[in-house]
């Protein structure tokens, strides 16, 4: 048969194939067991937030490869953990799958209206190509067109959005742009019969979704970063000292998963057989300076204490899910945990 792959609709499995073929690939396909459980249920809205370089995009590529129609991923997943699962074959390559990386749209647009318009136009073009026989009421309206496709085919979509929150980071001070973008996401996803699963990934959580965060990853704790067992196996393979790797890269502790490591740092330490500050080479520290200089309630003194190895209590409950509303030291510390600059247990 001829595969009919798109750029955003059913983009295929090549990206995940490259990850699996890499020198170091740690099998995190067990996460699919959770997403399979929530497909077509009330819990089908999932937002997984993690710091940069914690494997968010690879997970999004994995889900795209597993669910997406128009490709055959059976061989790619054979030998991986999920292939042993009872419902593995039931969901494999069964869903029309939309994959969006919002950073890509953002970098090609001047303002938020253009970002949203571009997403709509790109998706509509591919949808109309793939479903030419549907009787569209208004083929310039994305939501109505998806509803028309669902009415005609009775097939619901998997929708995966990577870097969902880059708009918040780019338009930190622009509340109106943030609202416009959130309105678009709500209209596109919430309570829509054509959504089988919405999986969003970013650095910040999103309200009204099931949030799995650096504060509370719930049942997904073992998929946040590398677990102690996974790091131990890698240390054995690459003759690296586990105690030293732990000292450098073990940053999070959750119920049921007492040590979670930064994947990017561990992979580079193994590949180059050398301990180093791999993670923080990926972004400047200017952003941090601004938050620490606010110096709420002695924030700077607490940061110095932590640098000296002490632990500081933090109340993460008042954080408002954005990059600009800071009322207390706790708000700043909570953001720094989400961004990955602070370890947390």
């Amino acid at each position: 048969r001829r595969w009919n792959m798109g750029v955003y609709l059913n983009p295929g499995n090549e990206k995940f194939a490259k990850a699996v073929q890499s020198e170091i690939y740690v099998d995190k396909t067990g996460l699919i067991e959770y997403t399979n459980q929530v497909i077509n249920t009330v819990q089908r809205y999932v937002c997984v937030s993690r710091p940069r370089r914690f494997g968010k995009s690879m997970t999004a590529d994995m889900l795209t490869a597993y669910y997406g129609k128009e490709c055959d991923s059976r061989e790619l997943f054979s030998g991986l953990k999920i292939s042993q699962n009872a419902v593995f074959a039931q969901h494999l390559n069964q869903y029309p799958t939309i994959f969006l990386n919002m950073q890509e749209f953002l970098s090609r647009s001047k303002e938020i209206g253009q970002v949203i318009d571009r997403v709509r136009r790109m998706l509509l073009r591919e949808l109309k190509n793939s479903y030419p026989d549907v009787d569209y009421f208004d083929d310039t309206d994305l939501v109505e067109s998806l509803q028309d496709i669902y009415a005609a085919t009775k097939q619901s979509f998997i929708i995966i959005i990577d870097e969902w929150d880059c708009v918040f980071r780019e338009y930190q001070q622009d509340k109106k742009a943030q609202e416009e973008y959130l309105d678009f996401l709500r209209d596109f996803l919430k309570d829509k019969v054509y959504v089988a699963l919405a999986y969003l990934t970013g650095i910040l959580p999103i309200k009204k979704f099931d949030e799995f965060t650096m504060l509370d990853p719930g049942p997904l704790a073992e998929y946040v970063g590398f677990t102690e067992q996974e790091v131990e196996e890698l240390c054995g393979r690459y003759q690296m000292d586990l105690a030293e790797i732990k000292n450098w890269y073990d940053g999070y502790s959750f119920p049921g998963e007492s040590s979670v490591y930064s994947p990017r740092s561990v992979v580079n330490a193994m590949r180059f057989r050398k301990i180093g500050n791999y993670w923080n080479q990926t972004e400047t520290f200017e952003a941090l300076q601004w938050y620490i200089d606010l110096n709420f309630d002695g924030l700077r003194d607490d940061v110095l204490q932590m640098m000296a190895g002490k632990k500081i209590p933090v109340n993460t409950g008042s954080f408002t899910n954005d990059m600009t509303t800071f009322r207390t030291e706790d708000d700043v510390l909570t953001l720094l945990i989400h961004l990955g600059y602070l370890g947390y247990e």
Side-chain angles (χ1 to χ4, degrees), residues 46-52 56 161 163-170 172 178 200-207 209-215 291 319-324 326 331 334-340:
V46 177
C47 179
V48 173
S49 61
R50 302 177 198 161
R52 291 168 302 104
K56 297 187 295 289
I161 302 181
E163 303 269 8
W164 86 267
D165 60 337
C166 62
V167 169
F168 280 75
R169 305 202 299 278
E170 187 71 24
Q172 272 189 30
Q178 293 177 10
L200 274 61
T201 177
I203 290 172
L204 295 172
I206 183 170
K207 288 183 163 50
F209 271 60
D210 276 354
E211 297 172 5
F212 301 100
T213 70
M214 297 313 276
L215 308 173
Y291 297 118
F319 182 64
T320 54
N321 273 22
D322 64 25
M323 309 280 284
T324 47
F326 299 104
D331 289 346
T334 305
L335 177 68
L336 296 184
I337 294 165
H338 281 302
L339 293 174

Side-chain angles (χ1 to χ4, degrees), residues 85-105:
N85 188 270
V87 297
F88 167 68
Q90 184 188 326
H91 296 287
L92 181 69
N93 302 128
Q94 293 301 307
Y95 297 85
T97 298
I98 291 169
F99 177 88
L100 303 172
N101 181 331
M102 293 311 298
Q103 188 68 56
E104 197 183 298
F105 289 95

Side-chain angles (χ1 to χ4, degrees), residues 1 5 12-13 45 69 85 140 163 167-168 195-196 205 207 216-217 224 235 240 275 287 333 342:
R1 54 170 298 197
M5 285 183 202
N13 59 18
Y45 298 99
K69 289 185 91 131
N85 188 270
T140 63
E163 303 269 8
V167 169
F168 280 75
V195 176
K207 288 183 163 50
D216 184 8
V224 169
C235 284
M240 294 291 280
I275 299 273
L333 292 177
L342 296 180

